[in-house]
Amino acid sequence: MIVLDDEILKSAKITVRSGAFLTVGRIISTLISFTTMIFVIRLLGEEQYGLYGLVLVPISMIMLFRDWGIPPALTKYVAWFKTRNRIYEIKKLIILSLFFTTSIGIILTIITSTLATSIAVFYRKPEVAPLIRIVSLVLLAGAIYNVAWNVFLGFEDTKYNAAMLVINAIMKGGLALVLVLLGYGVLGAIIGYVIGFFASAILGILFIPGEISKYRGNKSNKTPTLNQDLGWWDVLRVLLGFGFPLAVASIIAGFGKQFYSFIAGRYCSKWDFGNYSAATTLLTPLPILAMPISTVLFPAYSKINGVKERKLLDSAFRLAVKYVSLLIVPVAALIMGLSEPLKEVLFGKSFPDASFYLVLLAAVYLYTTIGYLNLGPLLSGQGYTKTVMIANLLGLLVGIPVSFLVIPLLGIVGLILTNIVVASILTAFFLVFIKKKLGITVEWECSIKILLAGCLSGFVAYFLRMWINGHPIVELLIGGFVGLGVYIFIVLITRALTMEDIRNLKVIFGSIHPLKRVLKPHARKIEEILKKILE
């Protein structure tokens, strides 16, 4: 049994509070975006929505070369200087980061617009060229967006991140829907996408002065890492010194995923890509949960000295894997078991292949039980950025030949399988590394129990749906509730969740006041029931 000490609980409360704002913002923004995009997808149909997805692939690939690791470095040093009340240095970091990334964004926008015709020739789909030229403006908007986003992460004041998410969703989804209804088709969806990024980026920049004004700067203390006497070039070297290895790792990892999709764009039809894009839309609940978790874990792990506080780091990592798995695994398993009714409820008889693609896409999230969402933030937070880079290079070296082999043969299925193979290699590599270097690992017995509970819940939901064979909404509701009940039952009877976990979670989530107000009237009764079951 793992017991949390006061230091971990204090850090966890801050992390969960930050994660709570992000989660709420992500839920609200995704509900808005998801609802509007469902209508957009249905209006566009398989081929037009496939074209929309294809246009975004090269932009996402080029976007990887824009930031050079500046945003995560900005998060680290804003957080570092904030704790020392060094507001002067924070201002300097923000100004330089904004100038550097927007300059690169402008250059890449021009380059991408120039390459649009060549990309269309590679795709063998000439209609994508003008759309790529329009969406390339996101390279500039995203640069501004990322600076603001990471500043607020460094200040651990994620309500502004949540606001940016909501504005982005309103503008991107709402405007896209209006323009599609007016007859602009995929062009309207692209315009909405671009304007959504610009609106939220500008909003974020406008929020920054107000956030800085909350702190009284202290310019008298000198620091060995960075101070007001250093020039702009020195500040840039500090940012790139931390961020560039991460940037190379991100380029290698992200380039692989986008490159595989880029290859698929040549061998797969717009109809195939439309089904694949629809499946990724149906997978929305998992990124909603996973994104805030992976975002806030990086600063949380950064606070722990892994050399001097190895026991603390081990406890934090084991519990993070356990609690994240308890949340993610049942959602992934139920999506897999109920993919067909989920697709039919939202898209009807359109996008017939999307449900099968959805099963394959959700499967990788079962790796959460062995640290899939925790290993990257752990190593980055502990400063092992070169290790992350080497691991991602290994994944790329395996993924490229695999993609050339399976994508021409299997199409979209080959694309998904390539990503699963690479994820498997990276997870295994990271697990071996942290065991040998840091002496820590996941709590295997507990992870197996959670995985077993999730798989059984998914199978129960699937076979129950097959037995009902009725309206997809009925299948979805009954299968979902029964599957969730099976998951909770197995987690409790196998002791994957203990009373010590309940007490830990009670302390951690007690910092989220809205949740505390909702649960407080029932907390004692729930705790008594769980105590009888678990003890």
Side-chain angles (χ1 to χ4, degrees), residues 280-317:
T280 59
T281 301
L282 293 177
L283 196 65
T284 297
L286 285 174
I288 290 176
L289 297 173
M291 179 269 183
I293 292 167
S294 59
T295 300
V296 300
L297 280 177
F298 171 61
Y301 287 130
S302 299
K303 298 174 185 176
I304 302 175
N305 187 322
V307 176
K308 297 180 180 179
E309 303 171 300
R310 180 165 294 184
K311 184 178 179 181
L312 182 67
L313 184 64
D314 183 56
S315 297
F317 176 69

Coordinates of all heavy atoms in Angstrom, one line a residue, residues 280-317:
T280 N -11.8 9.9 -35.2 CA -11.1 10.7 -34.3 C -12.0 11.7 -33.6 O -11.7 12.0 -32.4 CB -9.9 11.4 -35.0 OG1 -10.5 12.3 -36.0 CG2 -9.0 10.5 -35.6
T281 N -13.0 12.1 -34.2 CA -14.0 13.0 -33.6 C -14.8 12.2 -32.5 O -15.0 12.8 -31.4 CB -15.0 13.6 -34.6 OG1 -14.2 14.3 -35.6 CG2 -16.0 14.5 -33.9
L282 N -15.1 11.0 -32.8 CA -15.9 10.2 -31.8 C -15.0 9.8 -30.6 O -15.5 9.5 -29.6 CB -16.4 8.9 -32.5 CG -17.4 9.1 -33.6 CD1 -17.8 7.7 -34.2 CD2 -18.7 9.7 -33.0
L283 N -13.7 9.9 -30.8 CA -12.8 9.6 -29.7 C -12.6 10.8 -28.7 O -11.9 10.7 -27.8 CB -11.4 9.2 -30.3 CG -10.4 8.5 -29.4 CD1 -10.9 7.1 -29.0 CD2 -9.0 8.4 -30.1
T284 N -13.3 11.8 -29.0 CA -13.1 13.1 -28.2 C -13.1 12.9 -26.7 O -12.3 13.6 -26.0 CB -14.3 14.0 -28.6 OG1 -14.1 14.4 -30.0 CG2 -14.2 15.3 -27.8
P285 N -13.9 12.0 -26.0 CA -13.9 11.9 -24.6 C -12.5 11.6 -24.0 O -12.2 12.1 -22.9 CB -14.9 10.8 -24.3 CG -15.9 10.9 -25.4 CD -15.0 11.2 -26.6
L286 N -11.7 10.8 -24.7 CA -10.4 10.4 -24.2 C -9.4 11.6 -24.2 O -8.8 11.9 -23.2 CB -9.9 9.2 -24.9 CG -10.6 7.9 -24.6 CD1 -10.1 6.8 -25.4 CD2 -10.3 7.6 -23.1
P287 N -9.3 12.3 -25.3 CA -8.4 13.5 -25.2 C -8.9 14.5 -24.2 O -8.1 15.2 -23.6 CB -8.5 14.1 -26.6 CG -8.7 12.9 -27.5 CD -9.6 12.0 -26.7
I288 N -10.2 14.6 -24.0 CA -10.7 15.6 -23.0 C -10.1 15.3 -21.6 O -9.6 16.1 -20.9 CB -12.2 15.5 -22.9 CG1 -12.9 16.0 -24.1 CG2 -12.7 16.3 -21.6 CD1 -14.4 15.9 -24.1
L289 N -10.1 14.0 -21.3 CA -9.5 13.6 -20.0 C -8.0 13.5 -20.0 O -7.4 13.9 -19.0 CB -10.1 12.2 -19.7 CG -11.6 12.0 -19.5 CD1 -12.0 10.6 -19.4 CD2 -12.1 12.8 -18.3
A290 N -7.4 13.1 -21.1 CA -6.0 12.9 -21.1 C -5.2 14.2 -21.2 O -4.1 14.4 -20.5 CB -5.6 12.0 -22.2
M291 N -5.7 15.2 -21.9 CA -4.9 16.4 -22.2 C -4.6 17.2 -20.9 O -3.5 17.6 -20.6 CB -5.7 17.3 -23.2 CG -5.0 18.7 -23.5 SD -5.5 20.0 -22.4 CE -4.7 21.3 -23.0
P292 N -5.6 17.5 -20.0 CA -5.3 18.2 -18.8 C -4.4 17.4 -17.9 O -3.5 18.0 -17.2 CB -6.7 18.4 -18.1 CG -7.7 18.2 -19.2 CD -7.1 17.2 -20.1
I293 N -4.5 16.1 -17.9 CA -3.6 15.3 -17.0 C -2.2 15.4 -17.4 O -1.3 15.7 -16.6 CB -4.1 13.8 -17.1 CG1 -5.5 13.6 -16.4 CG2 -3.1 12.9 -16.4 CD1 -6.1 12.3 -16.7
S294 N -1.9 15.2 -18.7 CA -0.5 15.2 -19.2 C 0.0 16.6 -19.1 O 1.2 16.8 -18.9 CB -0.5 14.7 -20.7 OG -1.3 15.5 -21.5
T295 N -0.8 17.6 -19.2 CA -0.3 19.0 -19.2 C 0.1 19.4 -17.8 O 1.2 19.9 -17.6 CB -1.4 20.0 -19.6 OG1 -1.8 19.7 -21.0 CG2 -0.9 21.4 -19.6
V296 N -0.7 19.1 -16.8 CA -0.3 19.5 -15.4 C 0.7 18.6 -14.7 O 1.3 18.9 -13.7 CB -1.6 19.6 -14.5 CG1 -2.6 20.6 -15.1 CG2 -2.3 18.2 -14.4
L297 N 0.9 17.4 -15.3 CA 1.9 16.4 -14.7 C 3.3 17.0 -14.9 O 4.2 16.7 -14.0 CB 1.7 15.0 -15.3 CG 0.6 14.2 -14.7 CD1 0.6 12.8 -15.5 CD2 0.8 13.9 -13.2
F298 N 3.6 17.7 -16.0 CA 4.9 18.1 -16.2 C 5.4 19.1 -15.1 O 6.5 18.8 -14.5 CB 5.0 18.8 -17.6 CG 6.3 19.5 -17.8 CD1 7.5 18.8 -17.8 CD2 6.3 20.9 -18.1 CE1 8.7 19.5 -18.1 CE2 7.5 21.6 -18.3 CZ 8.7 20.9 -18.3
P299 N 4.7 20.2 -14.8 CA 5.2 21.0 -13.6 C 5.1 20.3 -12.3 O 6.0 20.5 -11.4 CB 4.2 22.2 -13.7 CG 3.0 21.7 -14.4 CD 3.5 20.7 -15.4
A300 N 4.2 19.3 -12.1 CA 4.2 18.6 -10.9 C 5.4 17.7 -10.7 O 6.0 17.7 -9.6 CB 2.9 17.6 -10.9
Y301 N 5.8 17.0 -11.7 CA 7.1 16.2 -11.6 C 8.3 17.1 -11.5 O 9.3 16.7 -10.9 CB 7.2 15.3 -12.8 CG 6.3 14.1 -12.8 CD1 5.5 13.8 -13.9 CD2 6.1 13.3 -11.7 CE1 4.6 12.7 -13.9 CE2 5.3 12.2 -11.7 CZ 4.5 11.9 -12.8 OH 3.7 10.8 -12.8
S302 N 8.3 18.3 -12.1 CA 9.4 19.2 -12.1 C 9.8 19.6 -10.7 O 10.9 20.0 -10.4 CB 9.1 20.4 -13.0 OG 8.9 20.0 -14.3
K303 N 8.8 19.6 -9.8 CA 9.0 20.1 -8.4 C 9.8 19.1 -7.6 O 10.2 19.5 -6.5 CB 7.6 20.4 -7.8 CG 6.8 21.5 -8.4 CD 5.5 21.6 -7.8 CE 4.6 22.6 -8.5 NZ 3.2 22.6 -8.0
I304 N 9.9 17.9 -8.0 CA 10.5 16.8 -7.2 C 12.0 16.6 -7.7 O 12.2 16.4 -8.9 CB 9.7 15.5 -7.3 CG1 8.3 15.7 -6.8 CG2 10.4 14.4 -6.5 CD1 7.4 14.5 -7.0
N305 N 12.9 16.5 -6.8 CA 14.3 16.2 -7.1 C 14.4 14.7 -7.1 O 14.5 14.1 -6.1 CB 15.3 16.8 -6.1 CG 16.7 16.7 -6.5 OD1 17.1 15.6 -7.0 ND2 17.5 17.7 -6.2
G306 N 14.5 14.1 -8.3 CA 14.5 12.6 -8.4 C 15.7 12.0 -7.8 O 15.6 10.8 -7.5
V307 N 16.8 12.7 -7.7 CA 18.0 12.1 -7.1 C 17.9 12.1 -5.6 O 18.2 11.1 -4.9 CB 19.3 12.9 -7.5 CG1 20.5 12.3 -6.8 CG2 19.4 12.8 -9.0
K308 N 17.6 13.2 -5.0 CA 17.5 13.3 -3.5 C 16.2 12.8 -2.9 O 16.1 12.5 -1.8 CB 17.7 14.8 -3.1 CG 19.1 15.3 -3.5 CD 19.2 16.8 -3.0 CE 20.6 17.3 -3.4 NZ 20.8 18.8 -3.0
E309 N 15.1 12.8 -3.8 CA 13.8 12.5 -3.3 C 13.2 11.3 -4.1 O 12.1 11.4 -4.6 CB 12.9 13.7 -3.4 CG 13.3 14.9 -2.6 CD 12.5 16.1 -2.8 OE1 12.4 16.6 -4.0 OE2 11.9 16.6 -1.8
R310 N 14.0 10.3 -4.3 CA 13.6 9.2 -5.1 C 12.4 8.5 -4.6 O 11.5 8.1 -5.4 CB 14.8 8.1 -5.2 CG 14.4 6.9 -6.1 CD 15.7 6.1 -6.4 NE 16.6 6.9 -7.3 CZ 17.7 6.4 -7.8 NH1 18.1 5.2 -7.5 NH2 18.5 7.2 -8.6
K311 N 12.2 8.3 -3.3 CA 11.1 7.7 -2.7 C 9.8 8.5 -3.0 O 8.7 8.0 -3.3 CB 11.3 7.5 -1.2 CG 10.1 6.7 -0.5 CD 10.4 6.5 0.9 CE 9.2 5.8 1.6 NZ 9.5 5.6 3.1
L312 N 10.0 9.8 -2.9 CA 8.8 10.7 -3.1 C 8.4 10.6 -4.6 O 7.2 10.6 -4.9 CB 9.3 12.2 -2.8 CG 8.2 13.3 -3.0 CD1 7.1 13.1 -2.0 CD2 8.9 14.6 -2.8
L313 N 9.4 10.6 -5.5 CA 9.1 10.5 -6.9 C 8.5 9.2 -7.3 O 7.5 9.1 -8.1 CB 10.4 10.7 -7.7 CG 10.3 10.7 -9.3 CD1 9.5 11.9 -9.7 CD2 11.6 10.7 -9.9
D314 N 8.9 8.1 -6.7 CA 8.3 6.8 -6.9 C 6.9 6.8 -6.5 O 6.0 6.3 -7.2 CB 9.1 5.7 -6.1 CG 8.6 4.3 -6.4 OD1 8.6 3.9 -7.6 OD2 8.3 3.6 -5.4
S315 N 6.6 7.3 -5.3 CA 5.2 7.3 -4.8 C 4.3 8.2 -5.7 O 3.2 7.8 -6.1 CB 5.2 7.9 -3.4 OG 5.9 7.0 -2.5
A316 N 4.8 9.3 -6.1 CA 4.1 10.2 -7.0 C 3.8 9.6 -8.3 O 2.6 9.6 -8.8 CB 4.8 11.5 -7.2
F317 N 4.8 8.9 -8.9 CA 4.6 8.3 -10.2 C 3.6 7.1 -10.1 O 2.7 7.0 -10.9 CB 5.9 7.8 -10.7 CG 5.8 7.0 -12.0 CD1 5.5 7.7 -13.2 CD2 6.1 5.7 -12.1 CE1 5.3 7.0 -14.4 CE2 6.0 5.0 -13.3 CZ 5.6 5.6 -14.4

